[in-house]
């Protein structure tokens, strides 16, 4: 049986925003599968980053699908804007969701053929998303406290990834502190998709950096 390809989603949070088009083109050329777009509202997390207008501008400049990670308190309120911006996956945090909201978001995304992701912070137990899992195409496991790029990977999330793999058939994406050292650990525990910000954008050679991450699957 063919092994599933490990998907690599560089986070443009670590890009040089003054030359965003070139940065997005560079990771596309370097072999990225998705562009990870970190949206922060200065409320759910103590940082402010990108909104729907910038997301829509990125969409115009790349063929890669946009993996939009909403670190915001009111994902329902902004959902239409991120659908219109051209997202291919929209991930919301379970810490600010309830079952009703998840069902509503899922129904809307399905209509637009957009994948639904649900994310959980390092301190959030798996039990908090169990009832959401039937609506999720993807679960994004945070391996740092969300808000900033360049933080260190938290190995205590590894058992959570392994437990999730046992009960969830969809895509498991891991986000935060991913390097060539930490990627093999998360892949061994069941990850299908890796987000990497600083590791890819700060690399001398982004093609090689993405290759090294992808080799973590072997
Ligand atoms: C953290 C973001 C991550 C971040 C990852 O709040 O959700 O996507 O950009 O950056 P690195 O790979 O540098 O930890
Ligand atoms: Zn992210």
């Amino acid at each position: 049986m063919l092994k599933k390809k490990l998907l690599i989603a560089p986070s443009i949070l670590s890009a040089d925003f003054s030359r965003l088009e070139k940065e997005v083109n560079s990771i596309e050329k370097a072999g990225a599968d998705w562009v990870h777009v970190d949206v922060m509202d200065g409320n759910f997390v103590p940082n402010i980053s990108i909104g729907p207008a910038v997301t829509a501008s990125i969409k115009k400049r790349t063929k890669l699908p946009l993996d939009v990670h909403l670190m915001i308190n009111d994902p329902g309120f902004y959902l239409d804007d991120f659908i219109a911006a051209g997202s291919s996956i929209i991930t919301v945090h379970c810490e600010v969701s309830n079952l009703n909201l998840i069902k509503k978001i899922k129904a809307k995304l399905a209509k637009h053929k957009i994948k639904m992701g649900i994310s959980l912070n390092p301190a959030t137990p798996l039990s908090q998303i169990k009832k959401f899992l039937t609506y999720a195409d993807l679960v994004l496991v945070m391996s740092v406290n969300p808000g900033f790029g360049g933080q260190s990977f938290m190995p205590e999330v590894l058992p959570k990834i392994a437990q999730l793999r046992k009960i969830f058939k969809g895509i498991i994406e891991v986000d935060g502190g991913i390097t060539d050292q930490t990627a093999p650990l998360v892949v061994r525990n069941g990850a299908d998709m890796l987000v990497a910000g600083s590791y890819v954008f700060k690399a001398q050679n982004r093609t090689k950096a993405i290759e090294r991450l992808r080799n973590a699957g072997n």
Side-chain angles (χ1 to χ4, degrees):
M1 204 176 83
L2 260 178
K3 239 170 108 190
K4 249 198 305 176
K5 181 185 173 195
L6 180 65
L7 299 171
I8 310 297
S11 163
I12 47 142
L13 189 63
S14 294
D16 177 351
F17 284 4
S18 67
R19 45 202 296 285
L20 203 44
E21 178 178 7
K22 286 199 178 89
E23 292 284 70
V24 172
N25 291 341
S26 128
I27 54 160
E28 187 166 348
K29 256 211 211 127
D33 300 292
W34 296 75
V35 180
H36 187 80
V37 181
D38 282 311
V39 176
M40 303 179 182
D41 65 354
N43 207 328
F44 179 70
V45 289
N47 195 5
I48 299 175
S49 58
I50 291 164
V54 174
T55 306
S57 305
I58 295 168
K59 178 68 188 172
K60 278 195 233 153
R61 297 287 178 256
T62 181
K63 288 192 199 67
L64 294 178
L66 302 188
D67 171 32
V68 175
H69 178 192
L70 298 183
M71 286 163 277
I72 64 178
N73 266 341
D74 197 347
F77 184 81
Y78 292 100
L79 192 69
D80 288 339
D81 295 337
F82 285 100
I83 290 172
S87 311
S88 294
I89 298 179
I90 295 183
T91 294
V92 302
H93 267 264
C94 70
E95 295 85 1
V96 290
S97 303
N98 56 44
L99 193 55
N100 206 18
L101 180 68
I102 294 288
K103 282 184 187 168
K104 264 198 211 153
I105 292 178
K106 171 68 184 182
K108 201 169 237 182
L109 293 182
K111 235 189 252 167
H112 290 87
K113 299 199 165 47
I114 298 172
K115 284 188 165 59
M116 162 127 194
I118 295 174
S119 184
L120 72 175
N121 284 339
T124 305
L126 206 51
S127 56
Q128 208 165 310
I129 63 160
K130 276 196 179 144
K131 56 183 184 304
F132 301 159
L133 285 180
T134 51
Y135 305 96
D137 300 294
L138 172 151
V139 172
L140 194 172
V141 178
M142 288 307 305
S143 42
V144 299
N145 286 313
F148 300 92
Q151 304 182 75
S152 298
F153 179 78
M154 296 167 72
E156 53 269 43
V157 303
L158 290 171
K160 191 156 72 178
I161 298 169
Q163 265 175 283
L164 178 63
R165 185 72 289 166
K166 285 191 195 143
I167 58 169
F168 181 62
K169 298 270 176 286
I171 299 172
I172 299 182
E173 180 177 24
V174 181
D175 183 3
I178 296 296
T179 65
D180 57 344
Q181 302 299 305
T182 57
L185 306 175
V186 300
V187 171
R188 229 177 280 147
N189 281 277
D192 310 291
M193 178 162 172
L194 307 179
V195 177
S198 42
Y199 183 74
V200 170
F201 280 98
K202 306 276 183 277
Q204 295 270 8
N205 183 325
R206 293 176 179 173
T207 305
K208 286 202 176 124
I210 290 176
E211 236 172 65
R212 279 197 292 270
L213 292 179
R214 203 170 330 261
N215 286 340
N218 299 329

